[in-house]
Amino acid sequence: MDTGSTPSSDTHGDTSRTESTAPSGSARPVLEAPDIARVLTRIAHEIVERAKGADDVVLLGIPTRGVFLARRLAGKLAEITGRTIPVGSLDITMYRDDLRLRPARALARTDIPGDGVDGRLVVLVDDVLFSGRTIRAALDALGDIGRPRAVQLAVLVDRGHRELPIRADYVGKNLPTSLRETVKVQLAEEDGRDTVLLGLQRPAESGER
C-alpha cells in the first residue's frame, strides 16, 4: 500500500498509500468505477498468462483496500479459469520500519488460505504503490508465514517516487505525481463508491507512507 499523500501515502504509513477521507475541492478523478473494473479484468488476464493458468496462485491483499481489490481479482480469475482462487489478507503493521516512531497502531487482519503459501505463487495486492516501504514490510511478514515459490505484486495505481528497489508486476494505472499531490483510492466496500482521486496535499498532511 503505497498511495497517497505526499511523501507518505500508504494507508499503512508507507510513503505510498492511499487515503479514503473526503477529497478536497481540488481533487479530480483519474479513474472511475468502469475504469477500475476494466483494469482489474486486464490484470486478471495478465496473471493467468504469466502464471500459465493460475493453478498455484494465491492472492493476499494488504489491508485495507488491497484486500477488497484482491477479492475482486479472485472473482475475475475464477471467471477466466473456472477455478476458485485462494484469497486472503496480510497485515504488515508490526513489520513497518516506522513502528518505533509511531508505536500506537491498530492491527489489521491476517488471513492465510487453508493450504498456506508454501510452494505457491503469491500475488500481493495493494491499492497504491509509492515509496515501496509497505511492500517491503509485506515481504517480511510473508517470510514469517511460509516460503512461496515466487512473489509478485499487483497494484491499482503506481504513483512513482520509489525509495526502495521495488517494482510492481501488474499495474492498473501508472500515474506520474509530484510529492505535493495526494492519491486517494475509494472503493465501494469501504467508501461507498469506486474512484481514484488526484489532489494537492493539505499543509497539515504529512508524508507518512
Side-chain angles (χ1 to χ4, degrees):
M1 298 162 139
D2 255 344
T3 339
S5 342
T6 10
S8 105
S9 238
D10 222 348
T11 295
H12 302 295
D14 187 337
T15 331
S16 47
R17 293 210 60 85
T18 318
E19 298 177 44
S20 59
T21 53
S24 63
S26 61
R28 62 180 178 84
V30 292
L31 289 177
E32 300 279 17
D35 306 310
I36 292 173
R38 183 168 57 252
V39 299
L40 289 177
T41 297
R42 172 173 56 77
I43 289 174
H45 281 281
E46 291 174 354
I47 291 173
V48 171
E49 180 177 359
R50 290 187 57 172
K52 296 179 172 57
D55 289 348
D56 65 346
V57 167
V58 174
L59 301 176
L60 293 181
I62 300 175
T64 299
R65 288 164 186 79
V67 177
F68 302 136
L69 292 171
R71 291 172 183 166
R72 294 189 193 186
L73 274 175
K76 291 182 179 296
L77 286 169
E79 292 175 3
I80 296 168
T81 66
R83 294 187 300 275
T84 299
I85 305 300
V87 59
S89 60
L90 182 65
D91 178 38
I92 55 93
T93 303
M94 301 307 295
Y95 295 84
R96 297 190 53 83
D97 62 6
D98 60 353
L99 187 62
R100 62 184 178 82
L101 303 177
R102 297 184 54 189
R105 291 180 182 272
L107 296 178
R109 177 179 175 83
T110 289
D111 181 15
I112 303 302
D115 290 338
V117 299
D118 289 346
R120 311 294 291 270
L121 170 57
V122 172
V123 179
L124 298 174
V125 183
D126 205 0
D127 50 3
V128 179
L129 179 59
F130 187 13
S131 69
R133 294 182 181 275
T134 288
I135 303 306
R136 196 280 305 275
L139 292 171
D140 290 344
L142 185 59
D144 281 349
I145 291 170
R147 192 175 190 277
R149 171 176 68 80
V151 181
Q152 296 178 350
L153 173 62
V155 298
L156 182 61
V157 175
D158 184 344
R159 62 165 296 180
H161 304 290
R162 212 74 77 244
E163 297 173 4
L164 298 173
I166 288 174
R167 177 182 61 85
D169 299 276
Y170 311 102
V171 178
K173 183 176 181 64
N174 286 292
L175 184 63
T177 63
S178 77
L179 289 176
R180 296 181 56 251
E181 292 175 309
T182 62
V183 176
K184 302 174 189 287
V185 172
Q186 297 183 327
L187 297 177
E189 297 92 331
E190 179 83 2
D191 310 294
R193 66 168 180 167
D194 285 354
T195 188
V196 176
L197 298 157
L198 179 65
L200 290 177
Q201 183 183 30
R202 294 184 293 270
E205 290 175 333
S206 64
E208 173 204 352
R209 313 299 199 210

